[in-house]
């Protein structure tokens, strides 16, 4: 996957210092999160593979998905995983050279195996958008000519990769690539110790007790005294990240009813100059959140409300603490970051999840792990992050998006934050005013408990059924 750290070092450092100068915030909610659907009777697929000729600086697994069942299979329910052994210290970039279904209808994200083996500790997961359509019984996707490489284009070694088949020069069934339909494993054999847990066994009822923060964002406006009373800070201080000279505008954080829910809206606007740019951020003042579950329902936007599109905007939900010194090992940050128009070297839509161990601002050096999907995420999405003593796991709309190593676990408590800001003004140079909205339905943190996405949905539903719009029983950090 691509390494955004080199491209965003300046903005990253500014954002960390500026966010922590204020505090931390979070929000989420609306409709319930959905659990993964079980594969319907008759839904089955096989994966065919061939190894394309390629140099030593990239891997080129070409794939086809074949419907071997008796009913049509919606491709947006299909996930395919190719397993490999990462080179020491390497990050990776995915690309699609050509696909019968269209590269724009394919997604690629890297993940980390829970049980690394001698031939696999990472995987490339290929998914499909709704635009890819369905496969009728007996049909296949046609060629998916995929490739990935180290982000710095250094040579890579495929000979120790679990899914690599150097002699596989024509398409044939390949069991070392796995496939799921609706979260249910239907094809292939994963590396030992990484067999999927059947979705039906995942708990759906949340634990009855435990310290928690829940906020439905039911406020009258950014000056509502209840916002501060509930521990939030709406940012107004100057500084980064983003466009130099921009203002952080608290009046652009608004609240309104949409249906039966109260929705928080973060509006970021510009007319093409630093002075006209208005960023937005809300964060918790307390840094008291560590292990457990974090969740929010967020609406990302691809296009402005009016005016020309193209700004390199960042829409976020994240947790963070302060960097005490360059490369301090007790730093922590966990991000959902959506870039609808690209940025940081990316040309188009991309969603990142990033787990940070530490960094040094000058000269820039970063220690992190991240997952990414290059696709549009416009619309409402259920974002869930879990942190325990073993791993950091990110979920989007009930499906695992990224799993990051224990080396990135937090040593100190963090704040919870949402912000929306422009990386720069180079993506759109027009001086015509335009504005972007990021909406938040609710936020939830459950201390020291790892909840499934279905349990998150049940807990939020219980708050709303009881008429509870706010609770904070999380104790202050010691």
């Amino acid at each position: 996957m691509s390494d955004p750290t080199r491209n965003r070092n300046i903005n990253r450092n500014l954002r960390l210092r500026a966010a922590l100068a204020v505090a931390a915030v979070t929000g989420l909610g609306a409709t319930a999160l959905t659990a993964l659907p079980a594969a319907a009777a008759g839904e089955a697929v096989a994966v065919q593979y061939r190894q394309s000729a390629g140099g030593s600086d990239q891997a080129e697994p070409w794939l086809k998905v074949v419907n071997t069942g008796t009913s049509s299979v919606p491709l947006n329910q299909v996930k395919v995983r190719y397993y490999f052994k990462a080179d020491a210290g390497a990050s990776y970039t995915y690309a699609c050279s050509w696909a019968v279904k269209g590269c724009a209808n394919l997604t690629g994200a890297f993940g980390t195996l829970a049980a690394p083996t001698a031939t696999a500790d990472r995987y490339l997961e290929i998914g499909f958008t709704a635009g890819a359509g369905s496969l009728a019984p007996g049909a296949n996707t046609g060629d998916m000519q995929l490739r990935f490489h180290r982000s710095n284009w250094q040579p890579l070694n495929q000979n120790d990769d679990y899914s690599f088949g150097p002699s596989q020069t024509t398409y044939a069934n390949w069991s070392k690539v796995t496939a799921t339909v609706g979260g249910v494993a239907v094809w292939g054999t994963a590396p030992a110790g990484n067999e999927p847990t059947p979705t039906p066994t995942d708990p759906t009822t949340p634990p009855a007790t435990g310290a928690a923060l829940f906020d439905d964002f039911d406020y009258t406006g950014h000056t509502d005294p209840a916002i501060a009373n509930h521990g939030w800070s709406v940012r107004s201080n100057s500084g980064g990240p983003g466009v130099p000279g921009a203002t952080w505008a608290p009046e652009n954080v608004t609240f309104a009813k949409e249906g039966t829910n109260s929705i928080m809206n973060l509006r970021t606007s510009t007319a093409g100059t630093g002075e006209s740019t208005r960023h937005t951020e809300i964060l918790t003042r307390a840094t008291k959140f560590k292990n457990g579950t974090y969740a929010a329902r967020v609406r990302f936007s691809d296009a402005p409300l009016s005016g020309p599109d193209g700004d390199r905007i960042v829409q976020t939900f994240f947790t963070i603490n302060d960097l005490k010194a360059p490369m301090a090992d007790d730093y922590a940050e966990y991000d959902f970051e959506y870039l609808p128009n690209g940025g940081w070297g990316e040309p188009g839509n991309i969603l990142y999840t990033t787990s940070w161990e530490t960094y040094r601002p000058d000269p820039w050096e970063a220690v992190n792990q991240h997952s990414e999907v290059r696709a549009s995420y416009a619309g409402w999405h259920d974002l869930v992050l879990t942190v325990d003593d073993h791993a950091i796991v990110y979920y989007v709309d009930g499906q695992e998006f990224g799993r990051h190593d224990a080396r990135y676990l937090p040593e100190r408590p963090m704040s919870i934050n949402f912000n929306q800001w422009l990386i720069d003004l180079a993506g759109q140079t027009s001086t015509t005013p335009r504005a972007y909205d990021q909406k938040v339905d609710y936020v939830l943190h459950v201390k020291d408990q790892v909840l499934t996405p279905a349990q998150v949905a049940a807990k939020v539903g219980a708050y709303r059924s009881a008429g509870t719009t706010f609770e904070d029983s999380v104790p202050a950090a010691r």
Side-chain angles (χ1 to χ4, degrees):
M1 73 185 159
S2 71
D3 184 354
T5 58
R6 288 187 177 274
N7 297 310
R8 59 183 175 180
N9 56 345
I10 296 175
N11 277 327
R12 166 67 60 187
N13 183 34
L14 289 170
R15 177 161 74 78
L16 301 180
R17 290 183 295 176
L20 289 164
V22 187
V25 61
T26 182
L28 166 73
T31 61
L33 298 170
T34 55
L36 291 173
E43 287 185 344
V45 301
V47 180
Q48 296 184 348
Y49 160 83
R50 62 160 290 192
Q51 177 59 32
S52 171
S56 62
D57 59 358
Q58 63 181 343
E60 293 190 70
W62 290 12
L63 303 173
K64 289 182 182 179
V65 176
V66 183
N67 184 350
T68 58
T70 59
S71 61
S72 180
V73 176
L75 280 170
N76 64 357
Q77 293 294 315
V78 176
K79 299 285 188 184
V80 176
R81 286 186 177 182
Y82 179 96
Y83 302 90
F84 64 99
K85 182 75 171 180
D87 298 303
S91 63
Y92 293 86
T93 297
Y94 154 81
C96 171
S97 298
W98 185 78
V100 172
K101 290 290 183 180
C103 285
N105 291 319
L106 273 61
T107 64
F110 293 93
T112 303
L113 290 180
T117 71
T119 59
D121 57 10
R122 303 276 185 91
Y123 58 81
L124 169 63
E125 182 173 85
I126 301 301
F128 300 86
T129 70
S134 299
L135 286 183
N140 68 73
T141 60
D143 278 354
M144 296 186 291
Q145 298 181 7
L146 312 176
R147 56 190 173 89
F148 64 92
H149 57 83
R150 293 182 60 168
S151 298
N152 59 7
W153 283 101
Q154 292 298 305
L156 52 76
N157 176 26
Q158 296 187 74
N159 293 323
D160 59 355
D161 290 351
Y162 177 85
S163 296
F164 179 55
S167 62
Q168 192 76 9
T169 57
T170 59
Y171 279 112
N173 288 352
W174 194 247
S175 63
K176 289 189 174 183
V177 175
T178 62
T180 60
V181 178
V184 178
V186 296
W187 175 263
T189 303
N194 295 277
E195 296 79 8
T197 300
T199 298
T201 66
D202 288 345
T204 57
T205 303
T209 60
L213 166 71
F214 172 74
D215 202 328
D216 220 3
F217 293 110
D218 191 4
Y219 302 110
T220 60
H222 74 282
T223 60
D224 189 334
I227 294 178
N229 292 338
H230 289 169
W232 301 108
S233 177
V234 182
R235 183 176 174 182
S236 61
N237 63 303
S238 61
V243 176
T247 299
W248 292 85
E251 66 274 12
N252 281 6
V253 178
T254 59
F255 303 87
K257 290 287 187 181
E258 290 192 5
T260 59
N261 294 332
S262 176
I263 302 297
M264 177 172 67
N265 191 71
L266 282 67
R267 178 161 296 176
T268 294
S269 60
T270 188
T273 64
E275 294 73 18
S276 68
T277 301
R278 301 289 185 267
H279 295 154
T280 45
E281 180 165 17
I282 183 170
L283 56 155
T284 60
R285 295 195 305 273
T287 53
K288 62 178 183 178
F289 308 98
K290 193 181 175 189
N291 285 18
T293 300
Y294 301 81
R297 184 169 174 82
V298 178
R299 187 183 188 279
F300 297 128
S301 300
D302 276 357
L305 300 174
S306 61
D309 195 2
D311 290 292
R312 295 169 180 168
I313 197 162
V314 184
Q315 301 171 348
T316 76
F317 166 44
F318 65 100
T319 71
I320 193 171
N321 62 28
D322 58 328
L323 183 73
K324 298 292 188 182
M327 301 303 287
D329 62 5
D330 62 351
Y331 173 72
E333 179 184 356
Y334 307 104
D335 302 328
F336 288 93
E337 294 176 308
Y338 180 54
L339 283 62
N341 292 316
W344 297 328
E346 292 291 334
N349 320 90
I350 187 166
L351 177 64
Y352 287 110
T353 60
T354 308
S355 301
W356 287 77
E357 168 62 17
T358 190
Y359 74 101
R360 177 172 54 210
D362 188 20
W364 179 251
E365 182 178 359
V367 182
N368 65 22
Q369 186 174 355
H370 42 95
S371 304
E372 64 200 25
V373 169
R374 293 172 175 83
S376 172
Y377 278 84
W380 284 105
H381 295 284
D382 299 308
L383 310 179
V384 177
L385 160 68
T386 65
V387 181
D388 60 15
D389 291 333
H390 306 288
I392 304 104
V393 185
Y394 298 85
Y395 299 89
V396 177
D397 297 330
Q399 301 193 44
E400 185 174 316
F401 187 95
R403 180 180 295 267
H404 298 166
D405 300 347
R407 78 188 84 169
Y408 303 101
L409 292 172
E411 287 85 8
R412 291 188 290 118
M414 302 167 289
S415 63
I416 302 173
N417 304 244
F418 295 93
N419 65 18
Q420 184 180 219
W421 49 281
L422 295 174
I423 296 173
D424 53 39
L425 297 172
Q428 173 54 260
T429 58
S430 170
T431 57
T432 301
R434 60 267 190 192
Y436 296 81
D437 281 357
Q438 174 186 342
K439 297 182 178 181
V440 181
D441 181 14
Y442 69 86
V443 65
L444 173 70
H445 170 70
V446 180
K447 177 179 169 60
D448 295 331
Q449 295 180 0
V450 171
L451 273 61
T452 66
Q455 287 179 308
V456 168
K459 193 164 185 69
V460 172
Y463 278 121
R464 288 179 163 167
S465 295
T468 302
T469 59
F470 177 79
E471 176 193 359
D472 185 3
S473 57
V474 179
R478 295 179 180 178

